[in-house]
C-alpha cells in the first residue's frame, strides 16, 4: 500500500469513526493536506519506492522523462540513493514491457538474494519451462524475468545458462507396486491403504 492509498484509507476510517464531526473534519483536512503534498521533499529510498509505486498505479509505467517532471525524484537523486542510473533503476524495479502495472516486491532484496530465491524455487517445483515456473512458483517468490533482470539478461535460456540450471523433464512420477500372491480383495485393500 502506498502512502497516498494509506492516507485515503485513514480518511475513510476517520469518517466512520465514532468521534465528533468537528474532529472528523480536522483529521480529514490534515490528511488531505498530506496527500496534496506528496511526495514529501526528502527523497529517502522508501519515499522513492512509494512515489514510483503510486506513479505506476496512476500512469501504468515509468518513462525516463518522468524523472524530470516533478512527481518522481530526479536522475541525480536516483544515482545518489541507489548507485545506478535512472534507466537502470527503472529497468530493474519497474520494467516497461510488463503488461500490468506493478510495484517492486523485491526492492529491499539485493540481486544475489533474488537469484537465490529463484534457484531454490526452481528446484522446489522442478520447473519444466518459464511458463511452468511462473505458474507454479510461490506467491512471495520472484518471477523468472525479475531474476533474469537481476543478473542483466531478459531471456529464460540466458538465466538458466548463467546459473548452471537445466529444466526438469516433463512426465509424471510413477508409483511402485509390489506384486504378491494375494486375493483380489486383499490387493484392493492394500491399494487403497497405500501399501
Amino acid at each position: 500500500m502506498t502512502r497516498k492509498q494509506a492516507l485515503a484509507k485513514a480518511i475513510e476510517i476517520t469518517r466512520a469513526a465514532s468521534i465528533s464531526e468537528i474532529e472528523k473534519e480536522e483529521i480529514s483536512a490534515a490528511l488531505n493536506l498530506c496527500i496534496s503534498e506528496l511526495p514529501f521533499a526528502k527523497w529517502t529510498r522508501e519515499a522513492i519506492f512509494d512515489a514510483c509505486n503510486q506513479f505506476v498505479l496512476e500512469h501504468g509505467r515509468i518513462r525516463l522523462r518522468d524523472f524530470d517532471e516533478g512527481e518522481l525524484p530526479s536522475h541525480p537523486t536516483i544515482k545518489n540513493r541507489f548507485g545506478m542510473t535512472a534507466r537502470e533503476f527503472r529497468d530493474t524495479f519497474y520494467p516497461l514491457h510488463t503488461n500490468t502495472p506493478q510495484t517492486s516486491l523485491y526492492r529491499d532484496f539485493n540481486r544475489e538474494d533474488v537469484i537465490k530465491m529463484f534457484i531454490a524455487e526452481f528446484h522446489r517445483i522442478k520447473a519444466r519451462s518459464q511458463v511452468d515456473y511462473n505458474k507454479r512458483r510461490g506467491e512471495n517468490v520472484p518471477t523468472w524475468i525479475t531474476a533474469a533482470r537481476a543478473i542483466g539478461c531478459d531471456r529464460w535460456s540466458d538465466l538458466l545458462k548463467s546459473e548452471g540450471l537445466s529444466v526438469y523433464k516433463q512426465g509424471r512420477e510413477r508409483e511402485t507396486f509390489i506384486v504378491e500372491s494375494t486375493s483380489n480383495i486383499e490387493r484392493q485393500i492394500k491399494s487403497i491403504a497405500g501399501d
Side-chain angles (χ1 to χ4, degrees), residues 88-102:
E88 290 168 330
F89 174 85
R90 191 268 324 265
D91 291 348
T92 300
F93 297 108
Y94 304 93
L96 281 179
H97 52 280
T98 58
N99 293 331
T100 57
Q102 61 184 0

Side-chain angles (χ1 to χ4, degrees), residues 175-195:
E175 295 181 32
T176 304
F177 294 97
I178 299 173
V179 178
E180 297 178 11
S181 61
T182 56
S183 70
N184 193 25
I185 294 174
E186 289 174 322
R187 276 184 275 177
Q188 289 176 349
I189 292 172
K190 280 187 177 187
S191 174
I192 293 170
D195 285 344

